[in-house]
Amino acid sequence: MPTTAPLPVSAVLLSAETAVASAASTSGSAAAPSAPLPDACQDSPADRIVSVAVGSTAPASLLAPAVPALQASVPPSVQPQSGGQPHDTRQQHRVPLHMLLPLEAACAVVSAGLVAPLISIVDKSIFANASGQQPLLQGLLAGIRTLLTRPAYFVRQPSFLLIWGVYSGTYITANTVQALCDHAAVPWQIPKFVGSSIANVGLSVLKDLYFTRAFGSGPARPVPPKSYTLYMTRDALTIFSSFNLPPLLSSALAGPATPLNLSPGTADTVAQLVAPCAMQILSTPLHLHGMDLYNRPDTALSARDRVAFIQREYAVTTAARVARIFPAFGIGGVANKYLRSKGRAWLETL
């Protein structure tokens, strides 16, 4: 069966103009400009595209014969969506991936570098305190003193380099997954959580192996499998509260219908700072139990003894972990988001 070639746009426009002229001559008079149109003559989203295309001020319902052909000539990227407004999907792909992905990685490394010094000091102090090597406050002060008086020595320490590597890898994974999902126009929430969890848990476990052995009690020995499991669960909770929970919390804080009535930008910042810190209330017992299983491997210890240790160290360790997470996923998350936004805006000007 022979197919009919699509009409060129010029022919469609001519057809539409002819239809307008014919309709106007038939009606005998034009409607008064101030008179409202009946419901039947109100423009649909598709009709508005036709009316604008032909430059006509007549009701778009008079252009009905030309609508299908003209719609066929409109690029799909600007076709009206279900919401009734045209949407240019090409805006999502303005920056090519070969330029965007290096930017995402650079933002991740810089953001991680901003917060790694404080995190490494806190992590080292927590492990040393739990093993009885050094009181927490003493360890914090010693770490800060080293950072300020011997910065070149500080940044060469494995404790700093490991922390910088952990959070660089975590942010690189999160940024890359979100960029790829945005480029493919698919939801990023679940892929970002899974990808960043795998990266953070894997890198954090390697880091914790070093910290547990370097700052634990007694000679170095294998870390118990239960400690691995507890560390992995702890880190998965932290990742969820750092990358997936803030958007949900932000939507509950922004807008006039919410109790705080925050602006969207303020709500984003508050949610990013609060959510990861609040999660430490739940995850600190997992962290303490994992360290206790390494420092006191005696299987004869009762569950009551383990709980007593967690209760004794819970308050100070939770405060320390909040101080650690606040820069890691609070300040670091805000810095990462800011750098990505500015970087993308810069790439779009090239």
Side-chain angles (χ1 to χ4, degrees):
M1 183 176 181
T3 59
T4 303
L7 292 173
V9 174
S10 58
V12 174
L13 297 181
L14 179 61
S15 174
E17 290 174 346
T18 304
V20 173
S22 175
S25 62
T26 302
S27 61
S29 62
S34 59
L37 294 174
D39 290 343
C41 294
Q42 295 295 324
D43 292 0
S44 68
D47 293 337
R48 286 196 294 271
I49 294 178
V50 177
S51 183
V52 171
V54 300
S56 172
T57 58
S61 58
L62 300 180
L63 306 178
V67 169
L70 185 57
Q71 278 188 313
S73 68
V74 176
S77 60
V78 294
Q79 288 285 355
Q81 304 300 305
S82 59
Q85 297 296 327
H87 174 61
D88 191 351
T89 58
R90 291 172 298 185
Q91 295 298 319
Q92 298 177 3
H93 311 298
R94 290 183 63 181
V95 180
L97 284 178
H98 75 271
M99 297 175 63
L100 181 60
L101 295 184
L103 171 74
E104 298 284 8
C107 293
V109 173
V110 172
S111 300
L114 292 175
V115 298
L118 180 57
I119 299 172
S120 63
I121 292 172
V122 174
D123 256 13
K124 179 179 177 180
S125 301
I126 289 176
F127 277 89
N129 176 72
S131 66
Q133 279 192 9
Q134 189 179 43
L136 181 64
L137 181 58
Q138 183 178 339
L140 293 173
L141 294 176
I144 294 173
R145 183 167 54 250
T146 302
L147 173 62
L148 296 178
T149 60
R150 305 172 63 191
Y153 169 79
F154 182 91
V155 298
R156 293 198 305 268
Q157 297 305 297
S159 56
F160 168 79
L161 296 174
L162 284 170
I163 292 294
W164 193 7
V166 167
Y167 289 99
S168 292
T170 301
Y171 281 132
I172 287 174
T173 303
N175 291 357
T176 300
V177 170
Q178 184 169 353
L180 292 174
C181 289
D182 287 344
H183 187 79
V186 298
W188 53 261
Q189 285 79 5
I190 293 179
K192 185 175 182 179
F193 171 70
V194 173
S196 54
S197 292
I198 292 173
N200 184 262
V201 170
L203 294 172
S204 292
V205 167
L206 295 176
K207 178 265 298 179
D208 286 340
L209 286 177
Y210 170 80
F211 276 78
T212 301
R213 293 176 176 176
F215 308 113
S217 61
R221 55 190 178 275
V223 176
K226 288 184 179 179
S227 293
Y228 278 112
T229 303
L230 291 166
Y231 290 157
M232 292 171 64
T233 305
R234 173 204 66 190
D235 292 336
L237 290 174
T238 299
I239 289 298
F240 175 77
S241 66
S242 302
F243 292 112
N244 291 72
L245 189 56
L248 302 177
L249 181 59
S250 177
S251 63
L253 297 175
T258 60
L260 298 180
N261 190 21
L262 300 178
S263 67
T266 302
D268 286 345
T269 301
V270 170
Q272 186 64 64
L273 295 176
V274 170
C277 295
M279 185 60 72
Q280 303 315 302
I281 297 173
L282 299 178
S283 65
T284 294
L286 304 177
H287 179 76
L288 286 171
H289 190 39
M291 290 192 299
D292 190 36
L293 290 173
Y294 178 86
N295 292 324
R296 299 193 298 173
D298 187 358
T299 56
L301 287 172
S302 65
R304 180 175 298 179
D305 293 329
R306 302 288 187 188
V307 172
F309 167 77
I310 294 174
Q311 290 175 336
R312 184 174 70 250
E313 300 292 338
Y314 177 78
V316 65
T317 305
T318 300
R321 285 190 59 78
V322 168
R324 173 195 186 281
I325 292 298
F326 182 75
F329 291 109
I331 297 175
V334 172
N336 183 54
K337 184 175 181 179
Y338 174 81
L339 292 174
R340 293 179 66 217
S341 175
K342 292 299 183 181
R344 287 189 177 211
W346 173 70
L347 286 180
E348 289 176 358
T349 63
L350 298 180

